[in-house]
Amino acid sequence: MTAYAEAVSGIRPKMRRAIIMVQDLIMVLIAVALSLTLSQSRLSFDAFSSGGLACWALIVLAAHVLFRYSGLYSTVWRFASTPDFFNILKGCGSLTVVLYLAAVAFRSFFQPVSGLNERQFIVFFLVSFTIISAPRLYYRFLRDGASWRILRRAASDASVKQALFIGRLSEADVIVRFTRTAVPAEYAIAGIMATESDAPLGTQIQGVPVVALRPRLVEVLEEYVKGTENLDLLIFGKGIEREIEDYAELVRVARHSGIAVVQFSGLSELGQGGKLVLDAVEMETIMRRSAVATDTTRIGAFVGGKRVLVTGGAGSIGRVLVKRALELGAEAVLVADNSEFGIFQLDQLIDEKDRGRLTSRIVDVTDRSHMMRLVGEFKPAIIFHAAALKHVPLLEENWEAAIETNVFGTLACAEVAAECGVPQFLLISSDKAVDPTSVLGVTKRAAEQIVSSLHETHAAPSLIHAGGLNGHQAGAHHAHRVGAHRPGTKFIAVRFGNVFGSNGSVATVFQAQIEAGGPVTITDRRMTRYFMTVAEAVDLVIMSAADAEQRQGSDDYAIYMLDMGKPVPILEVAETMIRMAGKSPHTDIAIRFTGIRPGEKLHETLHGENEEVVKLDTAKLFGLRSDVVEWPRIEAALPALVAAMNDRDKAAALAILAGLYRAEQSAVGAPEQTAPKTVGQIG
């Protein structure tokens, strides 16, 4: 990269356009002089007389007007291509004709001028076109040779996808090397867009130029997609979504232009035969949340070398928790999930080098004896309890399953953690637990109270449902105390809103509807939700556990809350996703409103009116001080809850659960719009 090209690329667009205009006018004057010199013309008047200078000024004025009219300054210089050179041709041709007609008119009506004929004007046209085109061509060649590779792709290379890479230079070196050694060739990296702001712009890595740096990634990508139709793929580096603020916008620009977007996640094998593993970029990236740098050192120090158990590890949040724990250097990770297919899918996502540290078990978290055996053998240092049922309308009908999994499943895993001496137990909670109006919300609130109560005592009385949670099928659902207190386990819950792109989330539903051609269905145009990307949520969950490990006494928190930013209108999410798919909302893809479903709220909240939010010294993390139900009260309510489930009495079961978090609440109350807010009309 020459100093000339680097200097020009750093100039602001308006200033750069002005410089280009001045440069073109200078080139016109040079072209006039060269055409007269090359054709050995001898003018009959002095070029530097007052009349001659006026003539030069008129030429400059005519050139500027004609060049602007020809569109020379409405295109991107660095991507000057066939249409742009045609504009130069049109501008120079028009100027030549105008100057020739002006010379003929002046010679005919005013005074004869010797030394001018058609030959000089032909030479002027050729010279002006050449010297005006040359700087554009030269700058483009110096600035980014990548576009030349894309534009000159031969028919024989049609199967090889031309790609731009966005990420760190060290990763770019690996990717370029492996794309070149792959047989058969699948990808060709044409240019590198570096995320390091101090990277050497214009230099090459194995012959591939660095064509852009932060913070101009979006601007340069927009110029690329305008400048060529032969770009097939945009490849992001590993973990880049956590490092750059423009990640979502880069995805949007690429997809809107029909360019596929993938993310590098590793190599399928090492050595010369290695292949890139490229994952599809999830639609969660449309949430343009400001990127917060993850304290990787802190969460790495917390997870590194530990044995980690993730219940529900094959689910959307659990899956990312598992991958992140392995990335951060966990000694071993155990996945407990009841989905065989989910575990199979998880196994396919794990790098070969990490599979030796991963163990998966098909188990229902409500099966206390099985969980006790797993935890006793694995001896985890922390349990991330992500297993839950979470689909609001579905759980309104399947309320028994919701109570079994979300309440008794949490209870079983928590007491197993205490009895086995697991140092830490973390419950993944939900904003639905705040002033709940749904079965999901009530069960998650009860789970929070179980964990909060155990947090206060740092001990768990052992509660067993005879025959496990399948026991109520045989009519043997009951509970009793056994065993003794075992202090030492720290219990916490982490509360946050919707995880964008999780299984069954609004994003996955919208994506399927968009791919099917619509319509996209929304319950209510006024509805809003808090959203967070899976990657950000998982890092903050781990950060919560790391923070809790260091706290004691009055500075301790049973519930952590993630900063979800501002709630986002669901309609805006749908419209943005449609645009990212390259379509127009309400035109290409219809949007239909279906009405609020049972248990749903128009707007969620992250904390109740009686909860104190405490800002912590960790970005995006808060502590919550909330009323905690004493453990004996929870213990006393469990037999009644089991009896209500045996009787299939939904109203009674929900009233018991409501009583666990609100002393004055003894029955299922009014819907969301009334005050105080209580569990909605479910039953």
Side-chain angles (χ1 to χ4, degrees), residues 580-604:
M580 285 190 69
K583 307 290 184 180
S584 297
H586 307 288
T587 304
D588 299 327
I589 301 290
I591 297 178
R592 183 161 52 88
F593 300 97
T594 60
I596 296 178
R597 298 172 297 182
E600 284 188 327
K601 296 180 183 179
L602 277 178
H603 312 290
E604 297 287 358

PDB file of all heavy atoms in Angstrom, residues 580-604:
ATOM      1  N   MET A 580     -33.397  -8.167   6.645  1.00  0.00           N
ATOM      2  CA  MET A 580     -32.133  -8.910   6.623  1.00  0.00           C
ATOM      3  C   MET A 580     -32.191 -10.098   5.680  1.00  0.00           C
ATOM      4  O   MET A 580     -31.159 -10.564   5.198  1.00  0.00           O
ATOM      5  CB  MET A 580     -31.764  -9.379   8.026  1.00  0.00           C
ATOM      6  CG  MET A 580     -31.242  -8.263   8.918  1.00  0.00           C
ATOM      7  SD  MET A 580     -30.562  -8.895  10.458  1.00  0.00           S
ATOM      8  CE  MET A 580     -29.105  -9.725   9.851  1.00  0.00           C
ATOM      9  N   ALA A 581     -33.373 -10.581   5.428  1.00  0.00           N
ATOM     10  CA  ALA A 581     -33.541 -11.674   4.473  1.00  0.00           C
ATOM     11  C   ALA A 581     -33.605 -11.161   3.039  1.00  0.00           C
ATOM     12  O   ALA A 581     -33.815 -11.936   2.106  1.00  0.00           O
ATOM     13  CB  ALA A 581     -34.797 -12.470   4.799  1.00  0.00           C
ATOM     14  N   GLY A 582     -33.417  -9.832   2.858  1.00  0.00           N
ATOM     15  CA  GLY A 582     -33.430  -9.251   1.523  1.00  0.00           C
ATOM     16  C   GLY A 582     -34.824  -8.967   0.996  1.00  0.00           C
ATOM     17  O   GLY A 582     -35.006  -8.754  -0.202  1.00  0.00           O
ATOM     18  N   LYS A 583     -35.832  -8.935   1.883  1.00  0.00           N
ATOM     19  CA  LYS A 583     -37.211  -8.687   1.474  1.00  0.00           C
ATOM     20  C   LYS A 583     -37.706  -7.373   2.071  1.00  0.00           C
ATOM     21  O   LYS A 583     -37.081  -6.783   2.944  1.00  0.00           O
ATOM     22  CB  LYS A 583     -38.118  -9.833   1.936  1.00  0.00           C
ATOM     23  CG  LYS A 583     -37.655 -11.225   1.528  1.00  0.00           C
ATOM     24  CD  LYS A 583     -37.784 -11.458   0.036  1.00  0.00           C
ATOM     25  CE  LYS A 583     -37.408 -12.897  -0.318  1.00  0.00           C
ATOM     26  NZ  LYS A 583     -37.532 -13.154  -1.765  1.00  0.00           N
ATOM     27  N   SER A 584     -38.875  -6.946   1.600  1.00  0.00           N
ATOM     28  CA  SER A 584     -39.496  -5.734   2.121  1.00  0.00           C
ATOM     29  C   SER A 584     -40.692  -6.115   2.981  1.00  0.00           C
ATOM     30  O   SER A 584     -41.586  -6.828   2.517  1.00  0.00           O
ATOM     31  CB  SER A 584     -39.964  -4.822   0.985  1.00  0.00           C
ATOM     32  OG  SER A 584     -38.874  -4.375   0.216  1.00  0.00           O
ATOM     33  N   PRO A 585     -40.724  -5.665   4.266  1.00  0.00           N
ATOM     34  CA  PRO A 585     -41.877  -5.983   5.115  1.00  0.00           C
ATOM     35  C   PRO A 585     -43.145  -5.339   4.590  1.00  0.00           C
ATOM     36  O   PRO A 585     -43.113  -4.236   4.032  1.00  0.00           O
ATOM     37  CB  PRO A 585     -41.470  -5.396   6.479  1.00  0.00           C
ATOM     38  CG  PRO A 585     -40.391  -4.402   6.181  1.00  0.00           C
ATOM     39  CD  PRO A 585     -39.694  -4.880   4.954  1.00  0.00           C
ATOM     40  N   HIS A 586     -44.244  -6.043   4.751  1.00  0.00           N
ATOM     41  CA  HIS A 586     -45.587  -5.600   4.337  1.00  0.00           C
ATOM     42  C   HIS A 586     -45.765  -5.596   2.813  1.00  0.00           C
ATOM     43  O   HIS A 586     -46.881  -5.404   2.333  1.00  0.00           O
ATOM     44  CB  HIS A 586     -45.906  -4.199   4.877  1.00  0.00           C
ATOM     45  CG  HIS A 586     -45.715  -4.051   6.354  1.00  0.00           C
ATOM     46  ND1 HIS A 586     -46.560  -4.624   7.266  1.00  0.00           N
ATOM     47  CD2 HIS A 586     -44.749  -3.401   7.066  1.00  0.00           C
ATOM     48  CE1 HIS A 586     -46.148  -4.320   8.495  1.00  0.00           C
ATOM     49  NE2 HIS A 586     -45.053  -3.588   8.398  1.00  0.00           N
ATOM     50  N   THR A 587     -44.674  -5.787   2.075  1.00  0.00           N
ATOM     51  CA  THR A 587     -44.773  -5.835   0.612  1.00  0.00           C
ATOM     52  C   THR A 587     -44.430  -7.236   0.111  1.00  0.00           C
ATOM     53  O   THR A 587     -45.290  -7.955  -0.398  1.00  0.00           O
ATOM     54  CB  THR A 587     -43.829  -4.802  -0.037  1.00  0.00           C
ATOM     55  OG1 THR A 587     -44.135  -3.500   0.472  1.00  0.00           O
ATOM     56  CG2 THR A 587     -43.987  -4.802  -1.548  1.00  0.00           C
ATOM     57  N   ASP A 588     -43.151  -7.625   0.279  1.00  0.00           N
ATOM     58  CA  ASP A 588     -42.747  -8.982  -0.115  1.00  0.00           C
ATOM     59  C   ASP A 588     -43.248 -10.023   0.887  1.00  0.00           C
ATOM     60  O   ASP A 588     -43.618 -11.133   0.511  1.00  0.00           O
ATOM     61  CB  ASP A 588     -41.221  -9.065  -0.220  1.00  0.00           C
ATOM     62  CG  ASP A 588     -40.660  -8.124  -1.273  1.00  0.00           C
ATOM     63  OD1 ASP A 588     -41.357  -7.907  -2.284  1.00  0.00           O
ATOM     64  OD2 ASP A 588     -39.547  -7.598  -1.089  1.00  0.00           O
ATOM     65  N   ILE A 589     -43.182  -9.663   2.162  1.00  0.00           N
ATOM     66  CA  ILE A 589     -43.622 -10.568   3.223  1.00  0.00           C
ATOM     67  C   ILE A 589     -44.699  -9.857   4.044  1.00  0.00           C
ATOM     68  O   ILE A 589     -44.464  -8.788   4.608  1.00  0.00           O
ATOM     69  CB  ILE A 589     -42.455 -10.964   4.158  1.00  0.00           C
ATOM     70  CG1 ILE A 589     -41.330 -11.654   3.370  1.00  0.00           C
ATOM     71  CG2 ILE A 589     -42.955 -11.868   5.282  1.00  0.00           C
ATOM     72  CD1 ILE A 589     -41.661 -13.028   2.852  1.00  0.00           C
ATOM     73  N   ALA A 590     -45.879 -10.453   4.119  1.00  0.00           N
ATOM     74  CA  ALA A 590     -46.977  -9.853   4.891  1.00  0.00           C
ATOM     75  C   ALA A 590     -46.770 -10.092   6.381  1.00  0.00           C
ATOM     76  O   ALA A 590     -46.134 -11.063   6.801  1.00  0.00           O
ATOM     77  CB  ALA A 590     -48.305 -10.458   4.442  1.00  0.00           C
ATOM     78  N   ILE A 591     -47.307  -9.191   7.201  1.00  0.00           N
ATOM     79  CA  ILE A 591     -47.294  -9.327   8.656  1.00  0.00           C
ATOM     80  C   ILE A 591     -48.738  -9.343   9.134  1.00  0.00           C
ATOM     81  O   ILE A 591     -49.517  -8.438   8.825  1.00  0.00           O
ATOM     82  CB  ILE A 591     -46.507  -8.182   9.325  1.00  0.00           C
ATOM     83  CG1 ILE A 591     -45.030  -8.230   8.888  1.00  0.00           C
ATOM     84  CG2 ILE A 591     -46.617  -8.268  10.844  1.00  0.00           C
ATOM     85  CD1 ILE A 591     -44.184  -7.109   9.453  1.00  0.00           C
ATOM     86  N   ARG A 592     -49.083 -10.392   9.882  1.00  0.00           N
ATOM     87  CA  ARG A 592     -50.472 -10.554  10.332  1.00  0.00           C
ATOM     88  C   ARG A 592     -50.518 -10.599  11.856  1.00  0.00           C
ATOM     89  O   ARG A 592     -49.661 -11.224  12.501  1.00  0.00           O
ATOM     90  CB  ARG A 592     -51.048 -11.854   9.753  1.00  0.00           C
ATOM     91  CG  ARG A 592     -52.507 -12.095  10.083  1.00  0.00           C
ATOM     92  CD  ARG A 592     -53.116 -13.116   9.122  1.00  0.00           C
ATOM     93  NE  ARG A 592     -52.348 -14.347   9.038  1.00  0.00           N
ATOM     94  CZ  ARG A 592     -52.519 -15.390   9.848  1.00  0.00           C
ATOM     95  NH1 ARG A 592     -53.417 -15.334  10.814  1.00  0.00           N
ATOM     96  NH2 ARG A 592     -51.790 -16.476   9.699  1.00  0.00           N
ATOM     97  N   PHE A 593     -51.516  -9.938  12.447  1.00  0.00           N
ATOM     98  CA  PHE A 593     -51.660  -9.877  13.901  1.00  0.00           C
ATOM     99  C   PHE A 593     -52.772 -10.836  14.335  1.00  0.00           C
ATOM    100  O   PHE A 593     -53.881 -10.795  13.808  1.00  0.00           O
ATOM    101  CB  PHE A 593     -51.972  -8.446  14.341  1.00  0.00           C
ATOM    102  CG  PHE A 593     -50.893  -7.467  13.949  1.00  0.00           C
ATOM    103  CD1 PHE A 593     -51.017  -6.698  12.795  1.00  0.00           C
ATOM    104  CD2 PHE A 593     -49.745  -7.348  14.703  1.00  0.00           C
ATOM    105  CE1 PHE A 593     -50.023  -5.816  12.416  1.00  0.00           C
ATOM    106  CE2 PHE A 593     -48.743  -6.469  14.335  1.00  0.00           C
ATOM    107  CZ  PHE A 593     -48.875  -5.699  13.188  1.00  0.00           C
ATOM    108  N   THR A 594     -52.440 -11.700  15.321  1.00  0.00           N
ATOM    109  CA  THR A 594     -53.333 -12.805  15.667  1.00  0.00           C
ATOM    110  C   THR A 594     -54.012 -12.667  17.020  1.00  0.00           C
ATOM    111  O   THR A 594     -54.937 -13.423  17.328  1.00  0.00           O
ATOM    112  CB  THR A 594     -52.542 -14.127  15.655  1.00  0.00           C
ATOM    113  OG1 THR A 594     -51.473 -14.042  16.611  1.00  0.00           O
ATOM    114  CG2 THR A 594     -51.978 -14.400  14.264  1.00  0.00           C
ATOM    115  N   GLY A 595     -53.567 -11.741  17.869  1.00  0.00           N
ATOM    116  CA  GLY A 595     -54.158 -11.585  19.195  1.00  0.00           C
ATOM    117  C   GLY A 595     -53.331 -12.264  20.273  1.00  0.00           C
ATOM    118  O   GLY A 595     -52.682 -13.291  20.032  1.00  0.00           O
ATOM    119  N   ILE A 596     -53.339 -11.694  21.474  1.00  0.00           N
ATOM    120  CA  ILE A 596     -52.546 -12.210  22.592  1.00  0.00           C
ATOM    121  C   ILE A 596     -53.031 -13.600  22.986  1.00  0.00           C
ATOM    122  O   ILE A 596     -54.232 -13.851  23.096  1.00  0.00           O
ATOM    123  CB  ILE A 596     -52.622 -11.251  23.795  1.00  0.00           C
ATOM    124  CG1 ILE A 596     -51.999  -9.905  23.424  1.00  0.00           C
ATOM    125  CG2 ILE A 596     -51.918 -11.835  25.010  1.00  0.00           C
ATOM    126  CD1 ILE A 596     -52.066  -8.876  24.524  1.00  0.00           C
ATOM    127  N   ARG A 597     -52.090 -14.511  23.231  1.00  0.00           N
ATOM    128  CA  ARG A 597     -52.403 -15.878  23.605  1.00  0.00           C
ATOM    129  C   ARG A 597     -52.495 -16.013  25.125  1.00  0.00           C
ATOM    130  O   ARG A 597     -52.019 -15.149  25.867  1.00  0.00           O
ATOM    131  CB  ARG A 597     -51.329 -16.824  23.048  1.00  0.00           C
ATOM    132  CG  ARG A 597     -51.258 -16.820  21.531  1.00  0.00           C
ATOM    133  CD  ARG A 597     -50.070 -17.606  21.024  1.00  0.00           C
ATOM    134  NE  ARG A 597     -48.803 -17.019  21.443  1.00  0.00           N
ATOM    135  CZ  ARG A 597     -47.614 -17.514  21.092  1.00  0.00           C
ATOM    136  NH1 ARG A 597     -47.540 -18.588  20.332  1.00  0.00           N
ATOM    137  NH2 ARG A 597     -46.511 -16.923  21.514  1.00  0.00           N
ATOM    138  N   PRO A 598     -53.075 -17.108  25.621  1.00  0.00           N
ATOM    139  CA  PRO A 598     -53.216 -17.302  27.072  1.00  0.00           C
ATOM    140  C   PRO A 598     -51.867 -17.214  27.786  1.00  0.00           C
ATOM    141  O   PRO A 598     -50.886 -17.832  27.365  1.00  0.00           O
ATOM    142  CB  PRO A 598     -53.803 -18.714  27.180  1.00  0.00           C
ATOM    143  CG  PRO A 598     -54.520 -18.918  25.899  1.00  0.00           C
ATOM    144  CD  PRO A 598     -53.711 -18.194  24.860  1.00  0.00           C
ATOM    145  N   GLY A 599     -51.840 -16.449  28.869  1.00  0.00           N
ATOM    146  CA  GLY A 599     -50.635 -16.346  29.688  1.00  0.00           C
ATOM    147  C   GLY A 599     -49.654 -15.282  29.253  1.00  0.00           C
ATOM    148  O   GLY A 599     -48.723 -14.959  29.995  1.00  0.00           O
ATOM    149  N   GLU A 600     -49.836 -14.699  28.069  1.00  0.00           N
ATOM    150  CA  GLU A 600     -48.879 -13.721  27.566  1.00  0.00           C
ATOM    151  C   GLU A 600     -49.145 -12.326  28.137  1.00  0.00           C
ATOM    152  O   GLU A 600     -50.277 -11.964  28.418  1.00  0.00           O
ATOM    153  CB  GLU A 600     -48.931 -13.642  26.041  1.00  0.00           C
ATOM    154  CG  GLU A 600     -48.255 -14.793  25.335  1.00  0.00           C
ATOM    155  CD  GLU A 600     -48.175 -14.561  23.839  1.00  0.00           C
ATOM    156  OE1 GLU A 600     -49.096 -13.934  23.289  1.00  0.00           O
ATOM    157  OE2 GLU A 600     -47.202 -15.019  23.222  1.00  0.00           O
ATOM    158  N   LYS A 601     -48.059 -11.555  28.274  1.00  0.00           N
ATOM    159  CA  LYS A 601     -48.150 -10.145  28.637  1.00  0.00           C
ATOM    160  C   LYS A 601     -47.808  -9.306  27.413  1.00  0.00           C
ATOM    161  O   LYS A 601     -47.084  -9.753  26.521  1.00  0.00           O
ATOM    162  CB  LYS A 601     -47.144  -9.799  29.732  1.00  0.00           C
ATOM    163  CG  LYS A 601     -47.338 -10.465  31.063  1.00  0.00           C
ATOM    164  CD  LYS A 601     -46.228  -9.977  32.006  1.00  0.00           C
ATOM    165  CE  LYS A 601     -46.284 -10.645  33.351  1.00  0.00           C
ATOM    166  NZ  LYS A 601     -45.180 -10.182  34.233  1.00  0.00           N
ATOM    167  N   LEU A 602     -48.302  -8.076  27.408  1.00  0.00           N
ATOM    168  CA  LEU A 602     -47.868  -7.138  26.368  1.00  0.00           C
ATOM    169  C   LEU A 602     -46.428  -6.718  26.604  1.00  0.00           C
ATOM    170  O   LEU A 602     -45.625  -6.612  25.675  1.00  0.00           O
ATOM    171  CB  LEU A 602     -48.765  -5.897  26.350  1.00  0.00           C
ATOM    172  CG  LEU A 602     -50.072  -5.993  25.578  1.00  0.00           C
ATOM    173  CD1 LEU A 602     -50.843  -4.686  25.707  1.00  0.00           C
ATOM    174  CD2 LEU A 602     -49.820  -6.324  24.112  1.00  0.00           C
ATOM    175  N   HIS A 603     -46.071  -6.491  27.876  1.00  0.00           N
ATOM    176  CA  HIS A 603     -44.730  -6.009  28.210  1.00  0.00           C
ATOM    177  C   HIS A 603     -44.211  -6.778  29.420  1.00  0.00           C
ATOM    178  O   HIS A 603     -44.926  -6.941  30.407  1.00  0.00           O
ATOM    179  CB  HIS A 603     -44.756  -4.508  28.523  1.00  0.00           C
ATOM    180  CG  HIS A 603     -45.507  -3.693  27.513  1.00  0.00           C
ATOM    181  ND1 HIS A 603     -45.034  -3.482  26.233  1.00  0.00           N
ATOM    182  CD2 HIS A 603     -46.708  -3.058  27.594  1.00  0.00           C
ATOM    183  CE1 HIS A 603     -45.908  -2.740  25.569  1.00  0.00           C
ATOM    184  NE2 HIS A 603     -46.934  -2.482  26.365  1.00  0.00           N
ATOM    185  N   GLU A 604     -42.978  -7.236  29.324  1.00  0.00           N
ATOM    186  CA  GLU A 604     -42.335  -7.927  30.441  1.00  0.00           C
ATOM    187  C   GLU A 604     -41.527  -6.927  31.265  1.00  0.00           C
ATOM    188  O   GLU A 604     -41.136  -5.858  30.779  1.00  0.00           O
ATOM    189  CB  GLU A 604     -41.402  -9.035  29.925  1.00  0.00           C
ATOM    190  CG  GLU A 604     -42.098 -10.144  29.160  1.00  0.00           C
ATOM    191  CD  GLU A 604     -42.902 -11.080  30.053  1.00  0.00           C
ATOM    192  OE1 GLU A 604     -42.891 -10.884  31.292  1.00  0.00           O
ATOM    193  OE2 GLU A 604     -43.544 -11.995  29.516  1.00  0.00           O
TER     194      GLU A 604
END
